[in-house]
Structure formats: C-alpha cells, structure tokens
Amino acid sequence: EPEVTQTPSHQVTQMGQEVILRCVPISNHLYFYWYRQILGQKVEFLVSFYNNEISEKSEIFDDQFSVERPDGSNFTLKIRSTKLEDSAMYFCASSDSLGYTFGSGTRLTVV
Amino acid sequence: GDSVTQMEGPVTLSEEAFLTINCTYTATGYPSLFWYVQYPGEGLQLLLKATKADDKGSNKGFEATYRKETTSFHLEKGSVQVSDSAVYFCALTSLYSGGGADGLTFGKGTHLIIQP
C-alpha cells in the first residue's frame, strides 16, 4: 500500500537554527499538507499545497515557515529560526479523491 | 470557523467492554467526518469516515453514524481488545471526502487504554 514517508523521525535543534523537515508524498496525489501536534494538544492544520503553490494556510503558518517541492518527489517544510514553542510532532499528508494519507511524523525538539 | 470537540481522556476500559467516544462538531455546510487512530510511535491512520447525514462508517468492529441533527459522530465498538489501545481523533473537512485546499480540522484526541 502506498505510503507517505517522512524524514527524519526525530530532530533536535537549537533555538534560532533553521530546520528542514522532509516528506515524500504518494506519487499520484495532487494535494500536500503539513500539520502540527504540540504534545498533548490537537493536530493543527498548517498549510496545503497544490500545483506548486500554497493553496491555504493557517494563522500558525507565519513568515518563519515555508514549503517547497524542490523536485518531483519531495515536499519540505522549512522553519527559519526555530523557537522553543515550535517543538511538536509535524505530520505530512497527501490526498486524492479517496482521502488523505498521513506520514508517521517528525518529532521536532527545540532546545 | 469549523471545530471538533471530543471527550477528554484517558479512557480506561477492560477487555471486551463496550466503547463510546463522543465527538461533536461545528461546521458550515455539509462536512465529511472522520475518525483517525494513532498507535504509539506511528502516524495517523484513517479508521472510518462518513460523507453525508445518516451515513454509518465502519471498520475493524468500530462504527460511527453521522448525525446532522445532533452534529455528532460518536465512535463505538461492542467489544474492545488490548490492541485497540491508541489515541483516537475525530476530524472533519468542509469539502468532499477527498483532498482539497482546506485540509482537516481535528479534535484534541482521546487516549484509549484497554486493560487485559
């Protein structure tokens, strides 16, 4: 069964550093997403991406965040200058007309 | 905006007990409703879904019925197993069941613990 693959599974970074979280969506899916889950809280929508541009973004997705599809397979989330409150599980997802498929997530810890 | 409210956890049950996890929603229009499950160390997996009023989604012994009159989508299972221990998320999208720009709105999740 096709999967959404995320790397790394865990990342520890120092406050102020840039991080890039990577995702390989399912190849024939057209929409891609990033979600965030702060420990003990709900899963929150960050951004959706379609046809090589952002379709929708939440108020969480401010100027420190960016997304990119640098090639035909990868979909990345960049956080430019990490803050302690960026510590969370980040989920990538992709979708087609049948529904959404989520990756296993990247646990980001900012110290 | 859209929102999902689900019962707080953790919910602790004995094996073979009956399970109900409540979920209510607020949305404009006619959303599609979902239950996702997250096993320890894993991602979110779709458990079941319903796309219109009175639809019943079912999978692995779990069921949920889309109740428009009460804006609810409660998850039920007649006899739980230890392997059902996980976090369960209720979610909705205002679009059809497939993908779209808006993505999913999730509840906070309910941690279910099944004891042997």
Side-chain angles (χ1 to χ4, degrees):
Chain A
E1 188 170 334
E3 292 183 341
V4 174
T5 304
Q6 288 187 243
T7 54
S9 56
H10 295 89
Q11 175 136 13
V12 180
T13 189
Q14 291 201 327
M15 191 169 51
Q17 295 296 305
E18 175 183 285
V19 294
I20 298 176
L21 309 183
R22 302 181 191 280
C23 170
V24 179
I26 294 174
S27 59
N28 62 344
H29 284 186
L30 299 180
Y31 275 95
F32 313 127
Y33 312 84
W34 283 100
Y35 290 82
R36 179 181 79 178
Q37 183 185 24
I38 295 173
L39 186 64
Q41 299 186 26
K42 64 180 177 182
V43 179
E44 300 172 293
F45 169 76
L46 292 179
V47 65
S48 62
F49 192 86
Y50 173 76
N51 200 26
N52 284 320
E53 61 183 26
I54 290 174
S55 295
E56 294 286 340
K57 59 182 180 179
S58 71
E59 55 193 27
I60 302 169
F61 194 87
D62 60 22
D63 290 344
Q64 69 162 338
F65 292 95
S66 62
V67 290
E68 192 177 31
R69 189 155 165 82
D71 53 42
S73 60
N74 288 286
F75 178 52
T76 61
L77 174 69
K78 181 191 291 187
I79 309 174
R80 286 192 183 81
S81 178
T82 51
K83 298 178 263 197
L84 293 177
E85 54 264 38
D86 294 326
S87 296
M89 181 73 87
Y90 289 81
F91 291 104
C92 175
S94 65
S95 70
D96 62 5
S97 60
L98 298 178
Y100 303 84
T101 302
F102 284 82
S104 296
T106 294
R107 179 165 297 284
L108 176 66
T109 302
V110 182
V111 297
Chain B
D2 296 346
S3 66
V4 175
T5 303
Q6 51 183 119
M7 60 192 294
E8 297 288 331
V11 173
T12 304
L13 296 172
S14 298
E15 207 165 19
E16 298 183 3
F18 184 86
L19 168 71
T20 301
I21 300 178
N22 290 337
C23 171
T24 57
Y25 67 89
T26 302
T28 54
Y30 302 93
S32 294
L33 303 174
F34 305 81
W35 277 100
Y36 281 84
V37 58
Q38 184 180 27
Y39 297 103
E42 298 185 16
L44 296 165
Q45 300 176 24
L46 178 64
L47 181 59
L48 53 85
K49 67 182 182 184
T51 58
K52 61 183 188 294
D54 300 324
D55 268 3
K56 178 186 283 189
S58 61
N59 186 26
K60 299 180 181 178
F62 291 89
E63 294 183 340
T65 301
Y66 188 150
R67 301 285 187 201
K68 190 172 187 299
E69 64 276 14
T70 54
T71 61
S72 65
F73 193 55
H74 303 323
L75 182 68
E76 296 181 335
K77 186 174 185 181
S79 176
V80 292
Q81 305 300 313
V82 172
S83 58
D84 294 326
S85 299
V87 181
Y88 292 81
F89 293 90
C90 187
L92 68 82
T93 181
S94 294
L95 298 176
Y96 59 96
S97 64
D102 288 349
L104 292 162
T105 299
F106 284 88
K108 287 188 175 182
T110 302
H111 187 192
L112 176 64
I113 301 169
I114 307 301
Q115 297 178 332

PDB file of all heavy atoms in Angstrom, chain B residues 90-115:
ATOM      1  N   CYS B  90     -11.196  12.585  16.180  1.00  0.00           N
ATOM      2  CA  CYS B  90     -12.323  12.915  15.328  1.00  0.00           C
ATOM      3  C   CYS B  90     -11.919  14.117  14.462  1.00  0.00           C
ATOM      4  O   CYS B  90     -11.205  15.021  14.941  1.00  0.00           O
ATOM      5  CB  CYS B  90     -13.530  13.259  16.197  1.00  0.00           C
ATOM      6  SG  CYS B  90     -15.065  13.514  15.327  1.00  0.00           S
ATOM      7  N   ALA B  91     -12.345  14.128  13.213  1.00  0.00           N
ATOM      8  CA  ALA B  91     -11.937  15.210  12.312  1.00  0.00           C
ATOM      9  C   ALA B  91     -13.019  15.476  11.284  1.00  0.00           C
ATOM     10  O   ALA B  91     -13.885  14.627  11.038  1.00  0.00           O
ATOM     11  CB  ALA B  91     -10.620  14.852  11.613  1.00  0.00           C
ATOM     12  N   LEU B  92     -12.943  16.649  10.684  1.00  0.00           N
ATOM     13  CA  LEU B  92     -13.886  16.972   9.616  1.00  0.00           C
ATOM     14  C   LEU B  92     -13.193  17.780   8.530  1.00  0.00           C
ATOM     15  O   LEU B  92     -12.157  18.397   8.748  1.00  0.00           O
ATOM     16  CB  LEU B  92     -15.088  17.744  10.158  1.00  0.00           C
ATOM     17  CG  LEU B  92     -14.901  19.176  10.689  1.00  0.00           C
ATOM     18  CD1 LEU B  92     -14.888  20.223   9.582  1.00  0.00           C
ATOM     19  CD2 LEU B  92     -16.041  19.524  11.652  1.00  0.00           C
ATOM     20  N   THR B  93     -13.773  17.741   7.358  1.00  0.00           N
ATOM     21  CA  THR B  93     -13.410  18.655   6.300  1.00  0.00           C
ATOM     22  C   THR B  93     -14.679  19.164   5.654  1.00  0.00           C
ATOM     23  O   THR B  93     -15.659  18.440   5.539  1.00  0.00           O
ATOM     24  CB  THR B  93     -12.494  18.000   5.253  1.00  0.00           C
ATOM     25  OG1 THR B  93     -12.165  18.961   4.256  1.00  0.00           O
ATOM     26  CG2 THR B  93     -13.149  16.813   4.599  1.00  0.00           C
ATOM     27  N   SER B  94     -14.634  20.406   5.266  1.00  0.00           N
ATOM     28  CA  SER B  94     -15.818  21.001   4.680  1.00  0.00           C
ATOM     29  C   SER B  94     -15.998  20.615   3.225  1.00  0.00           C
ATOM     30  O   SER B  94     -17.006  20.907   2.622  1.00  0.00           O
ATOM     31  CB  SER B  94     -15.753  22.528   4.787  1.00  0.00           C
ATOM     32  OG  SER B  94     -15.819  22.904   6.152  1.00  0.00           O
ATOM     33  N   LEU B  95     -14.983  19.932   2.701  1.00  0.00           N
ATOM     34  CA  LEU B  95     -15.086  19.522   1.310  1.00  0.00           C
ATOM     35  C   LEU B  95     -15.522  18.059   1.262  1.00  0.00           C
ATOM     36  O   LEU B  95     -15.806  17.446   2.278  1.00  0.00           O
ATOM     37  CB  LEU B  95     -13.752  19.725   0.611  1.00  0.00           C
ATOM     38  CG  LEU B  95     -13.281  21.181   0.580  1.00  0.00           C
ATOM     39  CD1 LEU B  95     -11.909  21.265  -0.038  1.00  0.00           C
ATOM     40  CD2 LEU B  95     -14.268  22.022  -0.208  1.00  0.00           C
ATOM     41  N   TYR B  96     -15.525  17.510   0.111  1.00  0.00           N
ATOM     42  CA  TYR B  96     -15.849  16.095  -0.039  1.00  0.00           C
ATOM     43  C   TYR B  96     -14.732  15.264   0.592  1.00  0.00           C
ATOM     44  O   TYR B  96     -13.737  15.797   1.047  1.00  0.00           O
ATOM     45  CB  TYR B  96     -16.039  15.752  -1.515  1.00  0.00           C
ATOM     46  CG  TYR B  96     -14.833  16.045  -2.374  1.00  0.00           C
ATOM     47  CD1 TYR B  96     -13.921  15.041  -2.677  1.00  0.00           C
ATOM     48  CD2 TYR B  96     -14.611  17.316  -2.889  1.00  0.00           C
ATOM     49  CE1 TYR B  96     -12.820  15.305  -3.461  1.00  0.00           C
ATOM     50  CE2 TYR B  96     -13.509  17.584  -3.674  1.00  0.00           C
ATOM     51  CZ  TYR B  96     -12.616  16.575  -3.958  1.00  0.00           C
ATOM     52  OH  TYR B  96     -11.524  16.852  -4.738  1.00  0.00           O
ATOM     53  N   SER B  97     -14.903  13.971   0.643  1.00  0.00           N
ATOM     54  CA  SER B  97     -14.014  13.117   1.434  1.00  0.00           C
ATOM     55  C   SER B  97     -12.601  13.102   0.918  1.00  0.00           C
ATOM     56  O   SER B  97     -11.684  12.696   1.613  1.00  0.00           O
ATOM     57  CB  SER B  97     -14.556  11.694   1.478  1.00  0.00           C
ATOM     58  OG  SER B  97     -14.567  11.123   0.190  1.00  0.00           O
ATOM     59  N   GLY B  98     -12.419  13.526  -0.285  1.00  0.00           N
ATOM     60  CA  GLY B  98     -11.071  13.552  -0.830  1.00  0.00           C
ATOM     61  C   GLY B  98     -10.346  14.812  -0.460  1.00  0.00           C
ATOM     62  O   GLY B  98     -10.803  15.608   0.341  1.00  0.00           O
ATOM     63  N   GLY B  99      -9.213  15.014  -1.027  1.00  0.00           N
ATOM     64  CA  GLY B  99      -8.376  16.135  -0.671  1.00  0.00           C
ATOM     65  C   GLY B  99      -8.879  17.447  -1.203  1.00  0.00           C
ATOM     66  O   GLY B  99      -9.674  17.504  -2.123  1.00  0.00           O
ATOM     67  N   GLY B 100      -8.455  18.490  -0.582  1.00  0.00           N
ATOM     68  CA  GLY B 100      -8.799  19.828  -1.012  1.00  0.00           C
ATOM     69  C   GLY B 100      -7.936  20.803  -0.268  1.00  0.00           C
ATOM     70  O   GLY B 100      -7.177  20.436   0.620  1.00  0.00           O
ATOM     71  N   ALA B 101      -8.082  22.067  -0.577  1.00  0.00           N
ATOM     72  CA  ALA B 101      -7.189  23.066  -0.023  1.00  0.00           C
ATOM     73  C   ALA B 101      -7.303  23.188   1.487  1.00  0.00           C
ATOM     74  O   ALA B 101      -6.322  23.423   2.173  1.00  0.00           O
ATOM     75  CB  ALA B 101      -7.447  24.414  -0.683  1.00  0.00           C
ATOM     76  N   ASP B 102      -8.517  22.992   2.019  1.00  0.00           N
ATOM     77  CA  ASP B 102      -8.727  23.323   3.425  1.00  0.00           C
ATOM     78  C   ASP B 102      -8.153  22.311   4.388  1.00  0.00           C
ATOM     79  O   ASP B 102      -7.980  22.603   5.551  1.00  0.00           O
ATOM     80  CB  ASP B 102     -10.224  23.470   3.706  1.00  0.00           C
ATOM     81  CG  ASP B 102     -10.783  24.733   3.086  1.00  0.00           C
ATOM     82  OD1 ASP B 102      -9.985  25.562   2.633  1.00  0.00           O
ATOM     83  OD2 ASP B 102     -12.006  24.873   3.045  1.00  0.00           O
ATOM     84  N   GLY B 103      -7.903  21.110   3.971  1.00  0.00           N
ATOM     85  CA  GLY B 103      -7.386  20.122   4.893  1.00  0.00           C
ATOM     86  C   GLY B 103      -8.416  19.716   5.931  1.00  0.00           C
ATOM     87  O   GLY B 103      -9.604  19.928   5.782  1.00  0.00           O
ATOM     88  N   LEU B 104      -7.946  19.148   7.011  1.00  0.00           N
ATOM     89  CA  LEU B 104      -8.794  18.588   8.061  1.00  0.00           C
ATOM     90  C   LEU B 104      -8.735  19.439   9.320  1.00  0.00           C
ATOM     91  O   LEU B 104      -7.691  19.981   9.665  1.00  0.00           O
ATOM     92  CB  LEU B 104      -8.338  17.169   8.403  1.00  0.00           C
ATOM     93  CG  LEU B 104      -8.535  16.111   7.324  1.00  0.00           C
ATOM     94  CD1 LEU B 104      -7.676  14.890   7.605  1.00  0.00           C
ATOM     95  CD2 LEU B 104      -9.991  15.716   7.230  1.00  0.00           C
ATOM     96  N   THR B 105      -9.870  19.500  10.021  1.00  0.00           N
ATOM     97  CA  THR B 105      -9.923  20.088  11.356  1.00  0.00           C
ATOM     98  C   THR B 105     -10.071  18.948  12.351  1.00  0.00           C
ATOM     99  O   THR B 105     -11.006  18.153  12.245  1.00  0.00           O
ATOM    100  CB  THR B 105     -11.116  21.052  11.483  1.00  0.00           C
ATOM    101  OG1 THR B 105     -10.961  22.108  10.546  1.00  0.00           O
ATOM    102  CG2 THR B 105     -11.195  21.629  12.888  1.00  0.00           C
ATOM    103  N   PHE B 106      -9.166  18.873  13.310  1.00  0.00           N
ATOM    104  CA  PHE B 106      -9.127  17.758  14.250  1.00  0.00           C
ATOM    105  C   PHE B 106      -9.631  18.159  15.629  1.00  0.00           C
ATOM    106  O   PHE B 106      -9.503  19.313  16.053  1.00  0.00           O
ATOM    107  CB  PHE B 106      -7.685  17.262  14.427  1.00  0.00           C
ATOM    108  CG  PHE B 106      -7.157  16.447  13.287  1.00  0.00           C
ATOM    109  CD1 PHE B 106      -6.544  17.051  12.211  1.00  0.00           C
ATOM    110  CD2 PHE B 106      -7.262  15.063  13.305  1.00  0.00           C
ATOM    111  CE1 PHE B 106      -6.042  16.299  11.157  1.00  0.00           C
ATOM    112  CE2 PHE B 106      -6.759  14.296  12.258  1.00  0.00           C
ATOM    113  CZ  PHE B 106      -6.156  14.917  11.190  1.00  0.00           C
ATOM    114  N   GLY B 107     -10.147  17.161  16.351  1.00  0.00           N
ATOM    115  CA  GLY B 107     -10.353  17.298  17.775  1.00  0.00           C
ATOM    116  C   GLY B 107      -9.050  17.062  18.523  1.00  0.00           C
ATOM    117  O   GLY B 107      -8.012  16.777  17.909  1.00  0.00           O
ATOM    118  N   LYS B 108      -9.093  17.156  19.843  1.00  0.00           N
ATOM    119  CA  LYS B 108      -7.871  17.053  20.642  1.00  0.00           C
ATOM    120  C   LYS B 108      -7.366  15.636  20.788  1.00  0.00           C
ATOM    121  O   LYS B 108      -6.241  15.427  21.222  1.00  0.00           O
ATOM    122  CB  LYS B 108      -8.095  17.651  22.033  1.00  0.00           C
ATOM    123  CG  LYS B 108      -8.175  19.162  22.048  1.00  0.00           C
ATOM    124  CD  LYS B 108      -8.198  19.691  23.481  1.00  0.00           C
ATOM    125  CE  LYS B 108      -8.146  21.205  23.484  1.00  0.00           C
ATOM    126  NZ  LYS B 108      -8.122  21.749  24.866  1.00  0.00           N
ATOM    127  N   GLY B 109      -8.191  14.669  20.452  1.00  0.00           N
ATOM    128  CA  GLY B 109      -7.766  13.291  20.594  1.00  0.00           C
ATOM    129  C   GLY B 109      -8.186  12.703  21.940  1.00  0.00           C
ATOM    130  O   GLY B 109      -8.225  13.405  22.955  1.00  0.00           O
ATOM    131  N   THR B 110      -8.504  11.436  21.928  1.00  0.00           N
ATOM    132  CA  THR B 110      -8.875  10.712  23.145  1.00  0.00           C
ATOM    133  C   THR B 110      -7.974   9.509  23.269  1.00  0.00           C
ATOM    134  O   THR B 110      -7.932   8.662  22.370  1.00  0.00           O
ATOM    135  CB  THR B 110     -10.348  10.256  23.091  1.00  0.00           C
ATOM    136  OG1 THR B 110     -11.192  11.387  22.911  1.00  0.00           O
ATOM    137  CG2 THR B 110     -10.723   9.517  24.367  1.00  0.00           C
ATOM    138  N   HIS B 111      -7.236   9.467  24.390  1.00  0.00           N
ATOM    139  CA  HIS B 111      -6.328   8.349  24.623  1.00  0.00           C
ATOM    140  C   HIS B 111      -7.129   7.200  25.230  1.00  0.00           C
ATOM    141  O   HIS B 111      -7.734   7.344  26.300  1.00  0.00           O
ATOM    142  CB  HIS B 111      -5.211   8.775  25.569  1.00  0.00           C
ATOM    143  CG  HIS B 111      -4.144   7.755  25.737  1.00  0.00           C
ATOM    144  ND1 HIS B 111      -3.178   7.851  26.724  1.00  0.00           N
ATOM    145  CD2 HIS B 111      -3.867   6.605  25.072  1.00  0.00           C
ATOM    146  CE1 HIS B 111      -2.367   6.806  26.636  1.00  0.00           C
ATOM    147  NE2 HIS B 111      -2.770   6.041  25.657  1.00  0.00           N
ATOM    148  N   LEU B 112      -7.166   6.070  24.543  1.00  0.00           N
ATOM    149  CA  LEU B 112      -7.891   4.889  24.987  1.00  0.00           C
ATOM    150  C   LEU B 112      -6.907   3.853  25.502  1.00  0.00           C
ATOM    151  O   LEU B 112      -5.948   3.499  24.794  1.00  0.00           O
ATOM    152  CB  LEU B 112      -8.705   4.299  23.838  1.00  0.00           C
ATOM    153  CG  LEU B 112      -9.453   3.002  24.108  1.00  0.00           C
ATOM    154  CD1 LEU B 112     -10.526   3.218  25.163  1.00  0.00           C
ATOM    155  CD2 LEU B 112     -10.046   2.445  22.832  1.00  0.00           C
ATOM    156  N   ILE B 113      -7.146   3.381  26.712  1.00  0.00           N
ATOM    157  CA  ILE B 113      -6.297   2.352  27.320  1.00  0.00           C
ATOM    158  C   ILE B 113      -7.182   1.154  27.630  1.00  0.00           C
ATOM    159  O   ILE B 113      -8.176   1.280  28.375  1.00  0.00           O
ATOM    160  CB  ILE B 113      -5.643   2.867  28.619  1.00  0.00           C
ATOM    161  CG1 ILE B 113      -4.794   4.100  28.316  1.00  0.00           C
ATOM    162  CG2 ILE B 113      -4.804   1.766  29.266  1.00  0.00           C
ATOM    163  CD1 ILE B 113      -4.331   4.828  29.569  1.00  0.00           C
ATOM    164  N   ILE B 114      -6.838   0.013  27.069  1.00  0.00           N
ATOM    165  CA  ILE B 114      -7.593  -1.217  27.306  1.00  0.00           C
ATOM    166  C   ILE B 114      -6.736  -2.142  28.161  1.00  0.00           C
ATOM    167  O   ILE B 114      -5.615  -2.496  27.787  1.00  0.00           O
ATOM    168  CB  ILE B 114      -7.980  -1.918  25.994  1.00  0.00           C
ATOM    169  CG1 ILE B 114      -8.693  -0.951  25.068  1.00  0.00           C
ATOM    170  CG2 ILE B 114      -8.846  -3.155  26.293  1.00  0.00           C
ATOM    171  CD1 ILE B 114      -9.956  -0.356  25.637  1.00  0.00           C
ATOM    172  N   GLN B 115      -7.279  -2.533  29.302  1.00  0.00           N
ATOM    173  CA  GLN B 115      -6.554  -3.401  30.224  1.00  0.00           C
ATOM    174  C   GLN B 115      -7.018  -4.848  30.074  1.00  0.00           C
ATOM    175  O   GLN B 115      -8.213  -5.089  29.900  1.00  0.00           O
ATOM    176  CB  GLN B 115      -6.775  -2.914  31.659  1.00  0.00           C
ATOM    177  CG  GLN B 115      -6.220  -1.523  31.904  1.00  0.00           C
ATOM    178  CD  GLN B 115      -6.493  -1.025  33.313  1.00  0.00           C
ATOM    179  OE1 GLN B 115      -7.475  -1.425  33.934  1.00  0.00           O
ATOM    180  NE2 GLN B 115      -5.644  -0.152  33.817  1.00  0.00           N
TER     181      GLN B 115
END
